[in-house]
Amino acid sequence: MTIGGLKHAVPWWQSAVIYHLYVRSFKDSNGDGNGDLMGVLRELDYLSETLGVDAVWLSPFYPSPMIDGGYDVTDHTGVDPLFGDLSLFDQLIVEAHRRDLRVILDFIPNHTSELLISPSSSPGWRSSHFRLAKMGDLLRR
């Protein structure tokens, strides 16, 4: 990009091919019917060599009761056992970087499971505003 006659490097994400990957349905590695991080790991060559992507954007794989498709997170620092564990995630990062693939996480701090929202467990409960959806609301989406 040229601004005022000076050349500036374009940020990588402006010209990158980014593949959004819904982990739960992408690739099942263990036969349980759910996609998982091992499935993603096993397909890194396909993503980088065949598709030629520059980055993979992973949907949430954090621990969750899965009432809202994994967007009802109970721990934003962990991996739900349905998808693997932290050591597998670390391995996925190492292997992605070995292939010059960037990994983008769908970090959703405003998506929290109702299991974590209660007056007794949250010091900020009184100063926060919540609208807890009823199960029927979630099913009508």
Side-chain angles (χ1 to χ4, degrees), residues 44-123:
L44 289 177
D45 286 336
Y46 169 74
L47 293 164
S48 65
E49 295 172 16
T50 305
L51 296 183
V53 302
D54 301 302
V56 290
W57 167 17
L58 301 178
S59 63
F61 52 82
Y62 313 110
S64 164
M66 298 296 166
I67 295 168
D68 194 17
Y71 283 85
D72 49 331
V73 179
T74 57
D75 176 6
H76 287 86
T77 64
V79 174
D80 193 290
L82 181 68
F83 304 116
D85 57 31
L86 282 173
S87 65
L88 180 58
F89 175 68
D90 289 342
Q91 183 182 356
L92 186 141
I93 296 296
V94 167
E95 289 300 316
H97 288 174
R98 196 170 65 74
R99 293 164 175 82
D100 293 324
L101 280 174
R102 295 174 187 257
V103 178
I104 302 167
L105 300 184
D106 200 344
F107 181 63
I108 47 173
N110 59 325
H111 289 254
T112 305
S113 171
E114 68 180 19
L115 299 178
L116 295 181
I117 301 173
S118 73
S120 61
S121 69
S122 176

Coordinates of all heavy atoms in Angstrom, one line a residue, residues 44-123:
L44 N -4.1 -30.4 8.7 CA -3.3 -29.2 8.5 C -2.7 -29.2 7.1 O -2.6 -28.2 6.4 CB -2.3 -29.0 9.6 CG -2.8 -28.7 10.9 CD1 -1.7 -28.6 12.0 CD2 -3.6 -27.3 10.9
D45 N -2.2 -30.3 6.6 CA -1.5 -30.4 5.3 C -2.6 -30.0 4.2 O -2.3 -29.3 3.3 CB -0.9 -31.7 5.0 CG 0.4 -31.9 5.8 OD1 1.0 -30.9 6.1 OD2 0.7 -33.1 6.0
Y46 N -3.8 -30.6 4.3 CA -4.9 -30.3 3.4 C -5.2 -28.8 3.4 O -5.3 -28.2 2.3 CB -6.1 -31.1 3.8 CG -7.3 -30.7 3.0 CD1 -7.5 -31.0 1.7 CD2 -8.3 -30.0 3.7 CE1 -8.7 -30.6 1.0 CE2 -9.5 -29.6 3.0 CZ -9.6 -29.9 1.7 OH -10.8 -29.5 1.0
L47 N -5.3 -28.2 4.6 CA -5.6 -26.8 4.7 C -4.5 -25.9 4.1 O -4.8 -25.0 3.3 CB -5.8 -26.4 6.1 CG -7.1 -27.0 6.8 CD1 -7.0 -26.9 8.3 CD2 -8.3 -26.4 6.2
S48 N -3.2 -26.3 4.4 CA -2.1 -25.4 3.9 C -1.7 -25.7 2.5 O -1.5 -24.8 1.7 CB -0.9 -25.5 4.9 OG -0.4 -26.8 4.8
E49 N -1.6 -27.0 2.1 CA -1.1 -27.3 0.8 C -2.2 -27.3 -0.3 O -2.1 -26.8 -1.3 CB -0.4 -28.7 0.8 CG 0.8 -28.6 1.7 CD 1.5 -30.0 1.9 OE1 1.1 -30.9 1.2 OE2 2.3 -30.1 2.8
T50 N -3.3 -28.0 0.0 CA -4.4 -28.2 -1.0 C -5.2 -26.9 -1.1 O -5.4 -26.4 -2.2 CB -5.3 -29.4 -0.7 OG1 -4.5 -30.5 -0.5 CG2 -6.3 -29.6 -1.7
L51 N -5.7 -26.4 0.0 CA -6.5 -25.2 0.0 C -5.7 -23.9 -0.1 O -6.2 -22.9 -0.5 CB -7.4 -25.1 1.2 CG -8.5 -26.2 1.3 CD1 -9.4 -26.0 2.5 CD2 -9.3 -26.3 0.0
G52 N -4.4 -24.0 0.4 CA -3.6 -22.8 0.3 C -4.0 -21.7 1.3 O -3.7 -20.5 1.0
V53 N -4.5 -22.0 2.4 CA -5.0 -21.0 3.4 C -3.7 -20.5 4.2 O -2.7 -21.2 4.3 CB -6.1 -21.5 4.4 CG1 -7.3 -22.0 3.6 CG2 -5.6 -22.6 5.3
D54 N -3.9 -19.3 4.6 CA -2.8 -18.7 5.4 C -3.1 -18.8 6.9 O -2.2 -18.6 7.7 CB -2.7 -17.2 5.1 CG -2.4 -17.0 3.6 OD1 -1.3 -17.5 3.1 OD2 -3.2 -16.3 2.9
A55 N -4.4 -18.9 7.3 CA -4.7 -19.0 8.7 C -6.0 -19.8 8.8 O -6.8 -19.9 7.9 CB -5.0 -17.6 9.2
V56 N -6.1 -20.5 10.0 CA -7.4 -21.1 10.3 C -8.0 -20.4 11.5 O -7.3 -20.1 12.5 CB -7.2 -22.7 10.6 CG1 -6.9 -23.4 9.4 CG2 -6.1 -22.9 11.7
W57 N -9.2 -20.2 11.5 CA -10.0 -19.5 12.5 C -10.9 -20.6 13.2 O -11.8 -21.1 12.5 CB -10.8 -18.4 11.9 CG -11.8 -17.8 12.8 CD1 -12.0 -17.8 14.1 CD2 -12.9 -17.0 12.3 NE1 -13.1 -17.1 14.5 CE2 -13.7 -16.6 13.4 CE3 -13.3 -16.5 11.0 CZ2 -14.8 -15.8 13.3 CZ3 -14.4 -15.7 10.9 CH2 -15.2 -15.4 12.1
L58 N -10.5 -20.9 14.4 CA -11.2 -22.0 15.1 C -12.4 -21.5 15.9 O -12.3 -20.6 16.7 CB -10.3 -22.8 16.0 CG -9.0 -23.4 15.4 CD1 -8.1 -24.0 16.5 CD2 -9.4 -24.4 14.3
S59 N -13.6 -22.2 15.7 CA -14.7 -21.9 16.5 C -14.4 -22.3 17.9 O -13.5 -23.0 18.2 CB -15.9 -22.6 16.0 OG -15.7 -24.0 16.0
P60 N -15.3 -21.9 18.9 CA -15.0 -22.2 20.3 C -14.9 -23.7 20.6 O -15.7 -24.5 20.1 CB -16.2 -21.6 21.0 CG -16.7 -20.5 20.2 CD -16.4 -21.0 18.8
F61 N -13.9 -24.1 21.3 CA -13.7 -25.5 21.8 C -13.5 -25.5 23.3 O -13.0 -26.5 23.8 CB -12.6 -26.1 21.0 CG -11.3 -25.4 21.1 CD1 -10.4 -25.5 22.2 CD2 -10.9 -24.5 20.1 CE1 -9.3 -24.7 22.3 CE2 -9.7 -23.8 20.1 CZ -8.9 -23.9 21.2
Y62 N -13.9 -24.4 23.9 CA -13.7 -24.3 25.4 C -14.7 -25.2 26.1 O -15.8 -25.6 25.6 CB -14.0 -22.9 25.8 CG -13.2 -21.8 25.0 CD1 -13.9 -21.0 24.1 CD2 -11.9 -21.7 25.0 CE1 -13.3 -20.1 23.3 CE2 -11.2 -20.8 24.3 CZ -11.9 -20.0 23.4 OH -11.3 -19.1 22.6
P63 N -14.4 -25.5 27.4 CA -15.4 -26.3 28.2 C -16.8 -25.6 28.2 O -16.9 -24.4 28.4 CB -14.8 -26.4 29.6 CG -13.3 -26.3 29.3 CD -13.2 -25.3 28.2
S64 N -17.8 -26.4 28.0 CA -19.1 -25.9 27.9 C -20.2 -27.0 28.1 O -19.9 -28.2 27.7 CB -19.3 -25.3 26.5 OG -20.7 -25.1 26.1
P65 N -21.3 -26.7 28.6 CA -22.4 -27.7 28.7 C -23.0 -28.0 27.3 O -23.9 -28.8 27.2 CB -23.4 -27.1 29.7 CG -23.2 -25.7 29.7 CD -21.7 -25.5 29.4
M66 N -22.6 -27.2 26.3 CA -23.1 -27.4 24.9 C -24.6 -27.2 24.8 O -25.2 -27.7 23.8 CB -22.7 -28.8 24.4 CG -21.2 -29.0 24.3 SD -20.4 -27.9 23.2 CE -18.7 -28.1 23.6
I67 N -25.2 -26.3 25.6 CA -26.6 -26.0 25.4 C -26.7 -25.1 24.2 O -27.7 -25.1 23.5 CB -27.1 -25.3 26.7 CG1 -27.1 -26.4 27.9 CG2 -28.5 -24.8 26.5 CD1 -27.4 -25.8 29.2
D68 N -25.7 -24.2 24.0 CA -25.7 -23.2 22.9 C -24.6 -23.5 21.9 O -23.9 -22.6 21.5 CB -25.6 -21.8 23.5 CG -26.0 -20.7 22.6 OD1 -26.6 -21.0 21.5 OD2 -25.6 -19.6 22.8
G69 N -24.4 -24.8 21.6 CA -23.4 -25.1 20.6 C -22.0 -24.7 20.9 O -21.1 -24.5 20.0
G70 N -21.7 -24.7 22.2 CA -20.3 -24.4 22.6 C -20.1 -22.9 22.9 O -19.0 -22.5 23.3
Y71 N -21.1 -22.1 22.7 CA -21.0 -20.6 22.9 C -21.4 -20.3 24.3 O -21.5 -19.1 24.7 CB -21.8 -19.8 21.9 CG -21.0 -19.8 20.5 CD1 -21.1 -20.8 19.6 CD2 -20.2 -18.7 20.3 CE1 -20.5 -20.7 18.4 CE2 -19.5 -18.6 19.1 CZ -19.6 -19.7 18.1 OH -18.9 -19.6 17.0
D72 N -21.7 -21.3 25.1 CA -22.0 -21.1 26.5 C -20.8 -21.6 27.4 O -20.9 -22.7 27.9 CB -23.3 -21.8 26.9 CG -23.4 -23.2 26.4 OD1 -22.8 -23.6 25.4 OD2 -24.1 -24.0 27.1
V73 N -19.8 -20.8 27.4 CA -18.5 -21.2 27.9 C -18.5 -21.2 29.5 O -19.0 -20.3 30.1 CB -17.4 -20.3 27.4 CG1 -16.0 -20.7 27.9 CG2 -17.4 -20.3 25.9
T74 N -17.8 -22.3 30.0 CA -17.6 -22.3 31.5 C -16.2 -22.1 31.9 O -15.9 -21.8 33.0 CB -18.0 -23.7 32.1 OG1 -17.3 -24.7 31.4 CG2 -19.5 -23.9 31.9
D75 N -15.3 -22.1 30.9 CA -13.8 -21.9 31.2 C -13.2 -21.4 29.9 O -12.9 -22.3 29.0 CB -13.2 -23.2 31.7 CG -11.7 -23.0 32.0 OD1 -11.2 -21.9 31.8 OD2 -11.0 -24.0 32.3
H76 N -12.8 -20.2 29.8 CA -12.2 -19.6 28.6 C -10.8 -20.0 28.4 O -10.1 -19.5 27.5 CB -12.4 -18.1 28.5 CG -13.8 -17.7 28.3 ND1 -14.7 -17.5 29.3 CD2 -14.4 -17.3 27.1 CE1 -15.9 -17.1 28.7 NE2 -15.7 -17.0 27.4
T77 N -10.2 -20.7 29.4 CA -8.8 -21.1 29.3 C -8.6 -22.6 29.1 O -7.4 -23.0 29.0 CB -8.0 -20.7 30.6 OG1 -8.6 -21.4 31.7 CG2 -8.2 -19.2 30.8
G78 N -9.6 -23.3 28.9 CA -9.5 -24.8 28.8 C -10.0 -25.3 27.4 O -10.4 -24.6 26.6
V79 N -9.9 -26.6 27.3 CA -10.4 -27.3 26.1 C -11.5 -28.3 26.6 O -11.2 -29.1 27.6 CB -9.3 -28.1 25.4 CG1 -9.8 -29.0 24.3 CG2 -8.2 -27.1 24.9
D80 N -12.6 -28.3 26.0 CA -13.7 -29.3 26.4 C -13.2 -30.7 26.0 O -12.6 -30.9 24.9 CB -15.0 -29.0 25.6 CG -16.1 -29.7 26.2 OD1 -16.2 -31.0 26.0 OD2 -17.0 -29.1 26.8
P81 N -13.3 -31.7 26.9 CA -12.9 -33.0 26.6 C -13.5 -33.6 25.3 O -12.9 -34.5 24.7 CB -13.3 -33.8 27.8 CG -13.4 -32.8 28.9 CD -13.9 -31.5 28.2
L82 N -14.6 -33.1 24.9 CA -15.2 -33.5 23.6 C -14.2 -33.2 22.5 O -14.2 -34.0 21.5 CB -16.5 -32.7 23.4 CG -17.3 -32.9 22.2 CD1 -17.9 -34.3 22.2 CD2 -18.4 -31.9 22.1
F83 N -13.4 -32.2 22.6 CA -12.5 -31.8 21.5 C -11.0 -32.2 21.7 O -10.2 -32.1 20.8 CB -12.6 -30.3 21.3 CG -14.0 -29.8 21.0 CD1 -14.6 -29.0 21.9 CD2 -14.7 -30.2 19.9 CE1 -15.9 -28.5 21.7 CE2 -16.0 -29.8 19.7 CZ -16.6 -28.9 20.6
G84 N -10.7 -32.6 22.9 CA -9.3 -32.9 23.2 C -8.8 -32.3 24.5 O -9.6 -32.3 25.5
D85 N -7.6 -31.9 24.6 CA -7.0 -31.3 25.8 C -6.0 -30.2 25.4 O -5.7 -30.0 24.3 CB -6.5 -32.3 26.7 CG -5.4 -33.2 26.1 OD1 -4.6 -32.6 25.2 OD2 -5.2 -34.3 26.4
L86 N -5.5 -29.5 26.4 CA -4.5 -28.4 26.2 C -3.3 -28.9 25.5 O -2.7 -28.2 24.7 CB -4.2 -27.7 27.5 CG -5.3 -26.7 28.0 CD1 -4.9 -26.2 29.4 CD2 -5.4 -25.6 27.0
S87 N -2.8 -30.1 25.9 CA -1.5 -30.6 25.2 C -1.8 -30.8 23.7 O -0.9 -30.6 22.9 CB -1.0 -31.8 25.9 OG -1.9 -32.9 25.8
L88 N -2.9 -31.3 23.4 CA -3.3 -31.5 21.9 C -3.4 -30.1 21.2 O -2.9 -30.0 20.1 CB -4.6 -32.3 21.8 CG -5.1 -32.6 20.4 CD1 -4.0 -33.3 19.6 CD2 -6.4 -33.3 20.4
F89 N -4.0 -29.2 21.9 CA -4.1 -27.8 21.3 C -2.6 -27.3 21.1 O -2.4 -26.7 20.1 CB -4.9 -26.9 22.2 CG -4.9 -25.5 21.7 CD1 -5.5 -25.2 20.6 CD2 -4.2 -24.5 22.5 CE1 -5.5 -23.8 20.1 CE2 -4.2 -23.2 22.0 CZ -4.9 -22.9 20.8
D90 N -1.8 -27.4 22.1 CA -0.4 -27.0 22.0 C 0.3 -27.6 20.8 O 1.0 -27.0 20.0 CB 0.4 -27.3 23.2 CG 0.1 -26.5 24.4 OD1 -0.6 -25.4 24.2 OD2 0.4 -26.9 25.6
Q91 N 0.1 -28.9 20.6 CA 0.6 -29.6 19.4 C 0.1 -29.1 18.1 O 0.8 -28.9 17.2 CB 0.3 -31.1 19.6 CG 0.9 -32.0 18.5 CD 0.5 -33.5 18.7 OE1 -0.1 -33.9 19.6 NE2 0.9 -34.3 17.7
L92 N -1.2 -28.8 18.1 CA -1.8 -28.2 16.9 C -1.2 -26.9 16.5 O -0.9 -26.6 15.4 CB -3.3 -28.0 17.2 CG -4.1 -27.6 15.9 CD1 -5.5 -28.3 15.9 CD2 -4.4 -26.1 16.0
I93 N -0.9 -26.0 17.5 CA -0.3 -24.8 17.3 C 1.1 -25.0 16.7 O 1.5 -24.3 15.7 CB -0.2 -23.9 18.6 CG1 -1.6 -23.6 19.1 CG2 0.6 -22.7 18.4 CD1 -2.4 -22.7 18.1
V94 N 1.9 -25.8 17.3 CA 3.3 -26.1 16.8 C 3.2 -26.6 15.4 O 4.0 -26.1 14.5 CB 4.0 -27.1 17.7 CG1 5.2 -27.6 17.1 CG2 4.3 -26.5 19.1
E95 N 2.3 -27.5 15.1 CA 2.3 -28.1 13.7 C 1.7 -27.1 12.7 O 2.2 -27.0 11.6 CB 1.4 -29.3 13.7 CG 2.1 -30.5 14.4 CD 3.4 -30.9 13.7 OE1 3.5 -30.9 12.5 OE2 4.4 -31.1 14.5
A96 N 0.8 -26.2 13.1 CA 0.3 -25.2 12.2 C 1.4 -24.2 11.9 O 1.6 -23.9 10.7 CB -0.9 -24.5 12.9
H97 N 2.1 -23.8 12.9 CA 3.2 -22.8 12.7 C 4.3 -23.4 11.8 O 5.0 -22.7 11.0 CB 3.8 -22.3 14.0 CG 2.8 -21.4 14.7 ND1 3.1 -20.9 15.9 CD2 1.6 -20.9 14.3 CE1 2.1 -20.1 16.3 NE2 1.2 -20.1 15.3
R98 N 4.6 -24.7 12.0 CA 5.6 -25.4 11.1 C 5.2 -25.3 9.7 O 6.0 -25.4 8.8 CB 5.7 -26.9 11.6 CG 6.9 -27.6 11.0 CD 7.1 -29.0 11.7 NE 6.1 -29.9 11.4 CZ 5.9 -30.6 10.2 NH1 6.8 -30.3 9.3 NH2 5.0 -31.5 10.1
R99 N 3.9 -25.2 9.4 CA 3.4 -25.1 8.0 C 3.1 -23.6 7.6 O 2.4 -23.4 6.7 CB 2.1 -25.9 7.9 CG 2.3 -27.4 8.0 CD 1.0 -28.1 8.3 NE 1.1 -29.6 8.3 CZ 1.6 -30.3 9.3 NH1 1.9 -29.7 10.4 NH2 1.6 -31.6 9.2
D100 N 3.6 -22.7 8.4 CA 3.3 -21.3 8.2 C 1.8 -20.9 8.3 O 1.4 -20.0 7.6 CB 4.0 -20.8 6.9 CG 5.5 -20.8 7.0 OD1 6.0 -20.6 8.1 OD2 6.1 -21.2 6.0
L101 N 1.1 -21.7 9.0 CA -0.3 -21.4 9.2 C -0.5 -20.6 10.5 O 0.0 -21.0 11.5 CB -1.2 -22.6 9.3 CG -1.6 -23.4 8.1 CD1 -2.2 -24.7 8.4 CD2 -2.5 -22.5 7.2
R102 N -1.3 -19.5 10.5 CA -1.6 -18.8 11.7 C -2.9 -19.4 12.2 O -3.7 -20.0 11.5 CB -1.8 -17.3 11.4 CG -0.6 -16.6 11.0 CD -0.9 -15.2 10.5 NE 0.2 -14.5 10.0 CZ 1.0 -13.7 10.6 NH1 0.7 -13.3 11.8 NH2 2.0 -13.1 10.0
V103 N -3.1 -19.3 13.6 CA -4.3 -19.9 14.2 C -5.0 -18.7 14.9 O -4.4 -18.1 15.7 CB -3.9 -21.0 15.2 CG1 -5.1 -21.5 15.9 CG2 -3.2 -22.1 14.5
I104 N -6.2 -18.6 14.6 CA -7.0 -17.5 15.2 C -8.1 -18.2 16.0 O -8.8 -19.1 15.6 CB -7.7 -16.7 14.1 CG1 -6.7 -16.0 13.2 CG2 -8.6 -15.6 14.8 CD1 -7.3 -15.4 11.9
L105 N -8.2 -17.8 17.3 CA -9.2 -18.4 18.2 C -10.4 -17.5 18.3 O -10.3 -16.3 18.3 CB -8.7 -18.6 19.6 CG -7.4 -19.5 19.7 CD1 -7.1 -19.7 21.2 CD2 -7.7 -20.8 19.1
D106 N -11.6 -18.1 18.2 CA -12.8 -17.4 18.4 C -13.0 -17.2 19.9 O -13.6 -18.0 20.6 CB -14.0 -18.2 17.8 CG -15.2 -17.3 17.5 OD1 -15.3 -16.2 18.0 OD2 -16.1 -17.8 16.8
F107 N -12.4 -16.1 20.4 CA -12.4 -15.8 21.9 C -13.7 -15.0 22.1 O -13.8 -13.9 21.6 CB -11.2 -15.1 22.3 CG -11.2 -14.7 23.8 CD1 -11.1 -15.8 24.7 CD2 -11.2 -13.4 24.2 CE1 -11.1 -15.5 26.1 CE2 -11.2 -13.1 25.6 CZ -11.1 -14.2 26.5
I108 N -14.6 -15.5 23.0 CA -15.9 -14.9 23.2 C -16.1 -14.7 24.7 O -16.9 -15.4 25.3 CB -17.0 -15.8 22.6 CG1 -16.7 -17.3 23.0 CG2 -17.0 -15.7 21.1 CD1 -17.8 -18.2 22.6
P109 N -15.4 -13.7 25.2 CA -15.6 -13.5 26.7 C -17.0 -13.1 27.1 O -17.3 -13.2 28.3 CB -14.6 -12.3 27.0 CG -14.4 -11.7 25.7 CD -14.6 -12.7 24.6
N110 N -17.8 -12.6 26.2 CA -19.1 -12.2 26.6 C -20.1 -13.4 26.5 O -21.3 -13.2 26.8 CB -19.6 -11.0 25.8 CG -19.6 -11.3 24.3 OD1 -18.8 -12.1 23.8 ND2 -20.6 -10.8 23.6
H111 N -19.7 -14.5 26.1 CA -20.5 -15.7 26.1 C -20.1 -16.6 27.3 O -19.1 -17.3 27.2 CB -20.3 -16.5 24.8 CG -20.8 -15.8 23.6 ND1 -21.9 -16.2 22.9 CD2 -20.4 -14.7 22.9 CE1 -22.2 -15.4 21.9 NE2 -21.3 -14.5 21.9
T112 N -21.0 -16.6 28.2 CA -20.7 -17.4 29.5 C -21.9 -18.3 29.8 O -23.0 -17.8 29.7 CB -20.4 -16.4 30.6 OG1 -19.4 -15.5 30.3 CG2 -20.0 -17.2 31.9
S113 N -21.6 -19.5 30.2 CA -22.7 -20.4 30.6 C -23.4 -19.9 31.8 O -22.9 -19.3 32.7 CB -22.1 -21.8 30.9 OG -23.1 -22.6 31.4
E114 N -24.7 -20.1 31.8 CA -25.5 -19.8 32.9 C -25.1 -20.5 34.2 O -25.4 -20.1 35.3 CB -27.0 -20.0 32.7 CG -27.4 -21.4 32.5 CD -28.9 -21.6 32.3 OE1 -29.6 -20.7 31.8 OE2 -29.3 -22.8 32.5
L115 N -24.3 -21.6 34.0 CA -23.8 -22.3 35.2 C -22.9 -21.4 36.0 O -22.6 -21.7 37.1 CB -23.1 -23.6 34.7 CG -23.9 -24.6 34.0 CD1 -23.1 -25.8 33.5 CD2 -25.1 -25.0 34.8
L116 N -22.3 -20.4 35.4 CA -21.3 -19.5 36.1 C -22.0 -18.3 36.6 O -21.4 -17.5 37.3 CB -20.2 -19.1 35.1 CG -19.3 -20.3 34.7 CD1 -18.2 -19.7 33.8 CD2 -18.7 -21.0 35.8
I117 N -23.2 -18.0 36.2 CA -23.9 -16.7 36.6 C -24.9 -17.0 37.7 O -25.9 -17.5 37.5 CB -24.6 -16.1 35.3 CG1 -23.6 -15.9 34.2 CG2 -25.3 -14.8 35.7 CD1 -24.3 -15.5 32.9
S118 N -24.5 -16.6 38.9 CA -25.4 -16.7 40.0 C -24.9 -15.7 41.1 O -23.7 -15.3 41.1 CB -25.4 -18.1 40.6 OG -24.2 -18.3 41.3
P119 N -25.7 -15.2 41.9 CA -25.3 -14.2 42.9 C -24.2 -14.8 43.8 O -23.4 -14.0 44.3 CB -26.6 -14.0 43.8 CG -27.7 -14.4 42.8 CD -27.2 -15.5 42.0
S120 N -24.2 -16.1 44.1 CA -23.2 -16.6 45.0 C -21.8 -16.7 44.3 O -20.8 -16.7 45.0 CB -23.6 -17.9 45.5 OG -23.8 -18.8 44.5
S121 N -21.7 -16.9 43.0 CA -20.5 -17.2 42.4 C -19.9 -16.0 41.7 O -18.7 -16.1 41.2 CB -20.6 -18.3 41.3 OG -21.4 -17.9 40.2
S122 N -20.6 -14.9 41.6 CA -20.0 -13.8 40.8 C -20.0 -12.5 41.7 O -21.1 -12.0 42.0 CB -20.9 -13.5 39.6 OG -20.5 -12.4 38.9
P123 N -18.8 -12.0 42.0 CA -18.7 -10.8 42.8 C -19.4 -9.6 42.1 O -19.8 -8.6 42.8 CB -17.2 -10.6 43.0 CG -16.6 -11.4 42.0 CD -17.5 -12.5 41.6

